[in-house]
Amino acid sequence: MIILMGLAGSGKSTQGQILAKARGGVWLSAGQVLRDTPNEEVHEVQKRGELVDDRLTIPLMAEAINQALAEGKEIVLDGYPRTVPQAEWIRDHVAEQVEAVVRIIVPKDELFQRLASRGRADDASRGAIEERFRIVEQNIYTVCETLTEKKIKILDVDGMGTMEEVAWRINDALVVAAET
């Protein structure tokens, strides 16, 4: 299992899909799982640019992860975990399957441009985007700290450039990490 982290617009979904395909695995996006749920409470929280509460997110993601593992699939997690309780669930239930965390790093000015061009409803408000950035940045250090308790490697990768260039950087970082 590979965990992809980064701010909205950093390319997690694109890179997650590329990585999952290259490894013959499955891409599990927390955002997509939440957008696909019929729960209106989840949708309202997302429209405000806030993170969906762990009481809703953890069971939905746990179900998706456990199903993929039961089917013997390699998993690329996109945007999960984002909070300490989510990271604790990973640490306590599936840490042995985690190869590494890849944090995709992109400057915020570039992220705003990318988000403006993708046209999703949850990207319509700059204030909502800034709130998502603030929450994720606030939590990312403690999330990674929680995961490193199980010796999970944290890899930072430059997310600027073409999709192919970023994919190569991610692959190279994972190869180097596997050798150490």
Side-chain angles (χ1 to χ4, degrees), residues 105-165:
I105 310 300
V106 177
K108 285 185 184 171
D109 288 342
E110 174 68 17
L111 294 175
F112 283 117
Q113 290 177 10
R114 291 181 184 185
L115 293 174
S117 69
R118 73 181 187 183
R120 276 197 350 219
D122 55 341
D123 295 333
S125 160
R126 185 174 177 110
I129 294 168
E130 289 172 348
E131 179 64 8
R132 287 198 335 253
F133 285 177
R134 185 190 66 74
I135 292 168
V136 171
E137 286 176 326
Q138 185 178 21
N139 291 337
I140 203 162
Y141 176 79
T142 51
V143 163
C144 288
E145 189 175 75
T146 300
L147 296 173
T148 59
E149 290 174 13
K150 290 285 189 169
K151 309 290 186 230
I152 296 171
K153 297 173 183 176
I154 310 295
L155 312 173
D156 288 336
V157 174
D158 179 3
M160 293 295 289
T162 66
M163 290 184 301
E164 294 81 10
E165 290 168 337

Side-chain angles (χ1 to χ4, degrees), residues 58-111:
I58 292 172
L60 288 169
M61 289 304 295
E63 180 181 352
I65 291 167
N66 287 328
Q67 180 178 347
L69 288 174
E71 295 171 2
K73 296 180 180 175
E74 181 168 344
I75 300 168
V76 177
L77 280 178
D78 166 357
Y80 187 87
R82 287 188 180 174
T83 66
V84 170
Q86 293 171 12
E88 290 170 342
W89 186 90
I90 294 283
R91 180 196 66 201
D92 297 342
H93 294 90
V94 295
E96 308 78 40
Q97 276 82 25
V98 179
E99 183 179 334
V101 172
V102 176
R103 295 188 296 198
I104 302 173
I105 310 300
V106 177
K108 285 185 184 171
D109 288 342
E110 174 68 17
L111 294 175

Side-chain angles (χ1 to χ4, degrees), residues 12-29:
K12 293 181 307 294
S13 296
T14 299
Q15 294 304 322
Q17 291 172 44
I18 291 169
L19 192 56
K21 183 176 181 181
R23 292 174 164 242
V26 62
W27 168 69
L28 289 179
S29 160

